[in-house]
Amino acid sequence: MRVLVLGGDGYLGWPTALHLSDKGHEVAVLDNFARRQYDVELGAESLVPIEDLSTRTDAWHAVSGKRIERYEGDLLDAEFLFGAVREFRPSAIVHFAEQRSAPYSMIDREHAVYTQHNNVVGNLNLLYAIAEIDPDIHLVKLGTMGEYGTPNIDIEEGWLEVEHNGRRDRMLYPKKPGSFYHLSKVHDSHNIEFACRIWELRATDLNQGVVYGQQTPQTALDPRLATRFDYDAVFGTVLNRFVIQAVLGQPLTVYGKGGQTRGLIDIRDTVECIRLAVENPAERGEFRVFNQMTESMSVRRIAEVVADRFPGPVQIENLDNPRVEQPEHYYNVKHTGLIGLGLEPHLLSDTLIESMFDIVGANKHRVNDDRLRPTVRWRGAVEAS
Ligand code: NAD
């Protein structure tokens, strides 16, 4: 299949492009390098050095003999986006290309507006590109488990059968997200469902859990193929951050008591889930939703697992929670769709964490210690006024 990966220079987009190429698909990546600009803005680079996109694609060609085409530009530039889709003629488009940090979206008004404008308008341009150029293209869109929040009922895969005053309907599952970033994903999901219903597009919305890990079999083939590894409090995801703090000899910073439960997924499963979704497309007119996570765990438990596995002393420190979230809550998520397509999950009990300690150890001189502690407070804007 021909697959266009939007956000193909990012943490997940790049390894996904490699995985799809490795499996025999014709792949192109598109990116505007916004993520590399946030690094400059925040003063924290990827812990593992990463090459620029052309060096990466050249290295993949040298290692595998396969080519990955590049499109450098912005989803907000509709002319550019339409041009790329017209030229590459994909049968599937995987859409990772959004601002994806909750704390970044909560810095202030400017960052909230940037996040929602970038994410919602980029996705809307994409829906129009698909509808106008080739409505048969399968959109595989990265959403997040954070769209649901933590409701006191089971979380279904996107849809909910509702009985109300004696009548029944199948509705989009109600969402209670926890940041302006997560809200942007909810808005995207609604726009995509509408486009499937009205224009008969086909889409798979992947509500992904928190990803951990840094290597896939393809990125490990050559240092030039490495993907980014974020350690800072704005972009570092929770388990990755704890691993880095353990290696640095710093306490693992748990927000509040750590009773918040999150869905997790290994980066090797992320890329495989995308392959499964691409190779098993949704029907025309179908808005299909999968919960892309393999296990759930409280933040406190994640810290304990990292501490247990680290071969040295580790402290766990409870910080005042800078976010606004329920300290303890019910969390029971259905996630059978991708298993049904053949996913064989790597669970946290596998060996991955140990290999992460080595990767961090080799690069720990690159850490800017000032960026480890949270500085963005969810109530910051209102407290300051
Ligand atoms: P990332 O920031 O590393 O990658 C996103 C890429 O998209 C970046 O390279 C960025 O430059 C590009 N991009 C952003 N806006 C763009 C635009 N307007 N035009 C073109 N390119 C643009 O993020 P990631 O961790 O790889 O996440 C990828 C996707 O997966 C995101 O949509 C994110 O919300 C979702 N997701 C990630 C996680 C996680 O734990 N990392 C969890 C759940 C969902």
Side-chain angles (χ1 to χ4, degrees):
M1 293 170 82
R2 296 180 67 76
V3 190
L4 176 60
V5 179
L6 312 180
D9 188 49
Y11 169 51
L12 302 176
W14 173 242
T16 299
L18 295 182
H19 185 61
L20 293 172
S21 175
D22 187 59
K23 296 289 177 197
H25 297 291
E26 292 296 322
V27 178
V29 288
L30 180 153
D31 209 291
N32 70 346
F33 309 120
R35 179 68 193 87
R36 293 177 187 249
Q37 282 306 312
Y38 314 144
D39 277 352
V40 176
E41 177 190 348
L42 299 171
E45 283 180 303
S46 164
L47 180 79
V48 174
I50 51 170
E51 296 292 349
D52 62 38
L53 187 56
S54 59
T55 307
R56 285 173 151 185
T57 52
D58 288 351
W60 179 241
H61 182 239
V63 167
S64 70
K66 295 168 197 274
R67 296 221 180 261
I68 292 180
E69 285 185 47
R70 292 189 310 272
Y71 292 93
E72 301 184 1
D74 196 325
L75 289 192
L76 300 192
D77 178 350
E79 205 177 316
F80 158 76
L81 173 63
F82 276 57
V85 176
R86 268 202 191 95
E87 186 178 277
F88 188 66
R89 296 307 298 224
S91 41
I93 298 182
V94 183
H95 179 17
F96 288 102
E98 299 202 326
Q99 191 299 97
R100 69 104 169 126
S101 157
Y104 189 87
S105 76
M106 298 301 290
I107 292 176
D108 56 14
R109 183 201 63 82
E110 202 184 336
H111 289 80
V113 171
Y114 165 77
T115 300
Q116 293 214 349
H117 183 246
N118 184 62
N119 296 2
V120 176
V121 176
N123 184 61
L124 196 52
N125 280 343
L126 178 61
L127 291 173
Y128 268 93
I130 294 174
E132 290 182 19
I133 296 168
D134 179 3
D136 220 29
I137 294 172
H138 177 211
L139 169 61
V140 178
K141 165 71 167 55
L142 271 290
T144 154
M145 285 304 299
E147 290 185 41
Y148 300 111
T150 52
N152 197 31
I153 56 173
D154 292 347
I155 296 177
E156 305 294 326
E157 294 200 273
W159 294 90
L160 186 65
E161 288 286 338
V162 179
E163 187 175 335
H164 181 62
N165 292 346
R167 302 183 66 81
R168 297 185 68 85
D169 203 352
R170 181 172 177 259
M171 323 277 288
L172 281 183
Y173 193 95
K175 306 282 178 72
K176 232 198 286 185
S179 74
F180 285 122
Y181 152 68
H182 291 106
L183 275 154
S184 76
K185 296 285 195 184
V186 174
H187 304 328
D188 287 345
S189 294
H190 283 121
N191 285 345
I192 299 169
E193 188 275 335
F194 178 76
C196 291
R197 192 157 34 92
I198 303 304
W199 295 332
E200 295 199 326
L201 301 193
R202 54 170 100 229
T204 302
D205 202 9
L206 297 170
N207 287 332
Q208 181 168 246
V210 181
V211 183
Y212 60 89
Q214 193 265 335
Q215 278 187 341
T216 63
Q218 293 81 37
T219 66
L221 289 172
D222 187 300
R224 292 169 299 168
L225 298 175
T227 195
R228 55 177 311 121
F229 195 15
D230 296 309
Y231 65 88
D232 60 294
V234 174
F235 274 93
T237 51
V238 59
L239 194 142
N240 285 356
R241 235 176 345 103
F242 287 163
V243 166
I244 290 163
Q245 289 172 326
V247 176
L248 292 175
Q250 302 238 6
L252 314 191
T253 47
V254 169
Y255 300 165
K257 294 208 173 93
Q260 320 84 310
T261 299
R262 293 292 175 261
L264 296 175
I265 182 164
D266 184 309
I267 190 169
R268 295 170 296 178
D269 292 340
T270 289
V271 301
E272 181 62 1
C273 287
I274 305 289
R275 181 186 73 78
L276 290 167
V278 164
E279 292 179 2
N280 298 280
E283 300 295 330
R284 282 295 296 271
E286 184 188 5
F287 175 68
R288 182 174 66 168
V289 185
F290 293 138
N291 292 337
Q292 184 166 308
M293 52 168 277
T294 56
E295 57 192 320
S296 52
M297 217 174 263
S298 72
V299 171
R300 179 174 52 230
R301 183 71 202 128
I302 297 170
E304 286 165 0
V305 170
V306 173
D308 287 349
R309 301 275 281 275
F310 187 70
V314 176
Q315 277 183 5
I316 297 177
E317 183 182 344
N318 293 92
L319 300 183
D320 269 355
N321 194 341
R323 305 182 178 211
V324 177
E325 50 193 7
Q326 286 174 279
E328 307 275 344
H329 54 85
Y330 179 76
Y331 201 67
N332 186 31
V333 181
K334 298 274 171 63
H335 50 97
T336 50
L338 286 157
I339 302 279
L341 291 183
L343 177 70
E344 291 175 23
H346 295 85
L347 297 180
L348 205 49
S349 46
D350 292 350
T351 54
L352 177 89
I353 295 190
E354 280 71 19
S355 67
M356 287 169 74
F357 292 140
D358 294 340
I359 295 167
V360 177
N363 294 287
K364 62 182 185 185
H365 57 281
R366 291 171 55 86
V367 171
N368 175 351
D369 287 353
D370 297 344
R371 311 316 304 168
L372 285 168
R373 298 226 155 202
T375 50
V376 181
R377 305 195 75 79
W378 261 226
R379 293 206 168 106
V382 279
E383 278 165 359
S385 64

